Amino acid sequence: MSATVRVKLDPITRIEGHLSVETVIEDGVVKEARAGGTLYRGFESIMQGHSPLDVIQFAQRFCGVCPTAHAIASAQALDTAFGIVPTENGRVIRNLVGGANWIQSHLLHFYTLSVLDYVPGPYAPPFIPRFEGDYRLPKALNEQLMEHYILALSMRLKAHELSAVFSGKMPHSASIVPGGVTIQPTVDRVTTFLWRLRELRNFIDNYYLPDVIAIARVYQDGFETGIGPSNLLTYGSYDLSLEPDVTKRKRLLQMGRLVDGEYRDFDPARITEEVRHSWYTDSGPTHPSEEVTVPMPGKTDAYSWVKAPRYDGEVYEVGPTARVLCTALSGESPAMTEVTNQVLSEVRVAPDVLRSTLGRHLARAIETKFVADAMQDWIMEFQLGQPVCAEFSIPDTASGVGLWCAPRGALGHWIQIEEGKVSRYQAIVPTTWNCSPRDDSGQPGPLEQALEGLAVRDPDSPIEVLRVVHSYDPCVACAIHVVDARGNERGTFRAV
Amino acid sequence: MSTVSRREFMGWMGRAGVGATLLEVIPFNIARALEAAIEEFPLLWLQLSNCSGCSVSVINTIHPSIENVLLDQIIPGYQLVLAFQQTVMAASGELAVKVLDRTHEEYKGRYVLIIEGAIPTRDGGVYGSLGETAGKPVPLADRVRTLAPDAMAVLCVGTCAAYGGISAAKPNPSGCMGTGEFFKREGISTPIVNIPGCPPHPDWFIGTVAHILLLGLPGAEDVDEHGRMKLFYGTTIHRSCTRRDYLDDGVMAQKPGDMGCLLELGCKGPFTKADCSRRSWNSGVNWCIGSGGPCIGCTDPSFPDGCCPLLVLPGGVSS
């Protein structure tokens, strides 16, 4: 007997933003999945006509979880448009502010947003109601992880404090500007940053990494589910040098692609966005610097406000797995290879499992340690008393690009300036790559691919779907948007 | 008045050897009955056209900690029950939406509705939805229409919820509006307290909630003409700015990174009402002007359209 049910999860909770996921489940296996946001904000049109100096503050408001990544990508777009590079102090402070929020975001994602998929919480709201699933950790470990869930709330807060030492406040920082930053690295700030970071590194080494490994050991099947596309893409992050062309910079996390397990280079000119299945007027594959975003609710065959970014027309996944593997396989970072091997050997899995549900959590923990350890060294690179911001003026006509990584993956900002004002602004954020709908040639996006073939024990309590979705750490306010996902009805429709 | 707190209840369950297995099967109502002597305030926290920055800021509260807010009586005898909050709640999908419906039914007139983000209204509200009814997405605006009239009070967390904020910035693509404007249009008369800021300081939120628990809803004497509590938004940033002396001495920053008063770089401190300069942010670590960034006016009803340009170069060049 064949049973087909269509299950729609709306809203997906414990993510940033508004996302729905619709699956067609046949005989307990997902045959088809469609993902889309449920909110459209239209920031690109809001920024038009503004002074270029406004965009760093506007771009941060894409997302309250990863505003510093948007601030840095946006500042970089302005740097390149203005023909300047940040000062050394500016480079270091941007890295430290971004790194601190990176820690904040990954702790928030693992403990606050994801742990409850594996650990049943106390029997009180907001921990109930919940999907009843195959929670299978031993009781003692369960209780320990809930203690760490509580502890992580305060550690995440401390990571925000760490960022605020040099960013002014979090979320939505004040100190990042074209040419660098507005804040001086004084001895008191440097020292408090050092010791606050030490406390967080202790938590990462002795709680976060061990907790991810503990869950991974018990839920080993999580290494076989949620397998995304084999193409991985990252723009790299954390500038270690300051060439005017951002693609030429030496970075802590490497820029590049992974295609069938091989490290390849990356050319930003090959990125396009496609909107055949998105609620925008059709334009064919278009480079983001030339894109015009015109909403078109009610468009036939569209089911998402999220666009479909592609590289050479192919589907790519972005995020921690892409970063860890590209950095390790680029040959540029023996340290990343070492920490990755160390963690993988503890769980006794091979590197390719990082493309799975639990692999993404492992990759996130690995790179958190990697970045936090590097930050310790960066603090000593300050040039006390030297400028924090390069000189600049606003050109009449210019274009610029910022390529960086948000905690969730590759982040690109593109700006055009005419008559001294913003004439066009586009951002392609990580979740646009990962939660993209089908493209012009019908290829499903990464999350959609990762859900296909997933075994779902009970369609009324599809915890397995949540685990895969959460492994991508969707950030939909950044990405944006769906309206109505009515496709062809098959079997019964069930909204869970 | 209180018998057993939520935390004591869970601790007791642990000591009695009742582990996670049994905790899972105890009906919700029993847990609730054990706490019946405590006055409960169910909170329904709706995220509309937002960036989640307000949620992330509120969980930065230190005294009480967010752990205290979730598990303890932040004012003795009063228990907040965070029944619906999408960033932290376990349930997804219809299971989560049912919490809204059930709380609406069971606690009519007694729950507090918290709104984060502006309300998208253009084209019947199609630009933002939450869950479905009979296979149709339910616009966020409809959720507010349903839940707001029966709430005891509505707290607007953040400038988007209060006044439209950045979500409603020109050309306002999704027709966003703040809650007060929406209520006026819809004829909804539930009392509103605004807690603006992009994002608001966690103390402003906790303080407003504590006021409601201890003294009831803020009265006309407690709030200003924009519905904000004077306790937090009573004076301008400028009045007690840590860089105020620079202005008095005529030392004016001329480019980003300069020491000096930030007025000529576009600082909005002279008209922006909030206590940032005295309270400071992120557990007192820093604040915008402390890091050399001019105030952008984020608590002001005119933010952002009335506050742009947010940063200016006095001479056109930063040098």
Side-chain angles (χ1 to χ4, degrees), chain A residues 8 11 13-14 16 18 38 40 54 61 64 122-124 126 130 156 160-161 164 170 182 391-392 486 496, chain B residues 6 10 23-24 26 47-48 51-52 60 86 89-94 127 129 132 135 198 282-283 291 310 318:
Chain A
K8 184 162 184 179
T13 58
R14 283 182 285 120
E16 196 299 314
H18 301 254
T38 52
Y40 169 76
D54 285 347
R61 271 84 183 166
Y123 210 85
R130 63 169 174 249
R156 186 211 60 78
H160 252 180
E161 292 169 6
M170 288 297 297
T182 56
E391 294 175 1
F392 62 88
R486 295 274 66 77
V496 171
Chain B
R6 175 178 304 250
M10 289 188 305
L23 273 177
E24 281 165 40
I26 289 188
Q47 295 177 320
L48 308 179
C51 73
S52 300
N60 281 344
Q86 287 192 57
M89 69 192 299
S92 270
E94 188 62 25
Y127 294 101
S129 66
E132 299 190 331
C198 191
N282 300 100
S283 321
S291 75
L310 303 174
S318 74

Side-chain angles (χ1 to χ4, degrees), chain A residues 8-18 38-43 45-47 50-51 53-54 57-58 60-65 104 108 112-113 116-117 120-132 135 139 142-143 149-150 153 156-157 160-162 164-175 177-178 181-184 189 196 295 297 305 388-394 466 470 477 482-486 493 495-496, chain B residues 6 9-10 17 19-20 23-28 31-32 47-53 56-57 59-62 66-67 70-71 81-84 86-97 99 102 120 123 126-132 135-137 140 166-167 169-174 198-199 255-259 281-283 285-288 290-294 296 298 303-305 308-313 316-319:
Chain A
K8 184 162 184 179
L9 279 172
D10 178 7
I12 299 276
T13 58
R14 283 182 285 120
I15 59 165
E16 196 299 314
H18 301 254
T38 52
L39 174 72
Y40 169 76
R41 291 199 295 167
F43 259 85
S45 62
I46 288 175
M47 293 210 221
H50 275 266
S51 159
L53 300 185
D54 285 347
Q57 289 301 332
F58 274 80
Q60 289 191 75
R61 271 84 183 166
F62 288 166
C63 175
V65 181
Q104 185 272 144
L108 176 81
T112 312
L113 306 184
L116 296 176
D117 291 345
Y123 210 85
F127 307 107
I128 55 163
R130 63 169 174 249
F131 289 151
E132 289 312 327
Y135 303 110
K139 185 183 156 206
N142 236 359
E143 286 172 0
Y149 171 100
I150 297 290
L153 290 170
R156 186 211 60 78
L157 177 152
H160 252 180
E161 292 169 6
L162 183 72
V165 169
F166 287 118
S167 73
K169 83 170 202 300
M170 288 297 297
H172 301 329
S173 61
S175 70
V177 290
V181 297
T182 56
I183 188 169
Q184 298 290 336
R189 288 175 182 142
R196 287 168 188 274
W305 280 108
V388 291
C389 187
E391 294 175 1
F392 62 88
S393 57
I394 301 171
L466 268 192
H470 284 151
V482 114
V483 180
D484 183 353
R486 295 274 66 77
F493 182 87
V496 171
Chain B
R6 175 178 304 250
F9 165 70
M10 289 188 305
L23 273 177
E24 281 165 40
V25 297
I26 289 188
F28 182 43
R32 176 152 291 183
Q47 295 177 320
L48 308 179
S49 184
N50 75 323
C51 73
S52 300
V56 176
S57 183
I59 65 175
N60 281 344
T61 178
I62 41 171
I66 190 62
E67 173 193 1
L70 289 175
L71 299 175
V81 180
L82 194 56
F84 188 93
Q86 287 192 57
T87 312
V88 296
M89 69 192 299
S92 270
E94 188 62 25
L95 190 64
V97 173
V99 174
R102 193 175 62 197
D123 301 333
V126 297
Y127 294 101
S129 66
L130 174 72
E132 299 190 331
K136 290 264 181 219
L140 293 167
I166 206 145
S167 298
K170 287 176 196 161
N172 196 353
S174 53
C198 191
K255 62 178 191 299
D258 279 358
M259 288 312 289
W281 278 73
N282 300 100
S283 321
V285 168
N286 211 339
W287 67 299
C288 294
S291 75
I296 61 171
C298 78
F303 181 78
D305 289 340
C308 286
L310 303 174
L311 173 66
V312 295
L313 301 178
V317 183
S318 74
S319 55

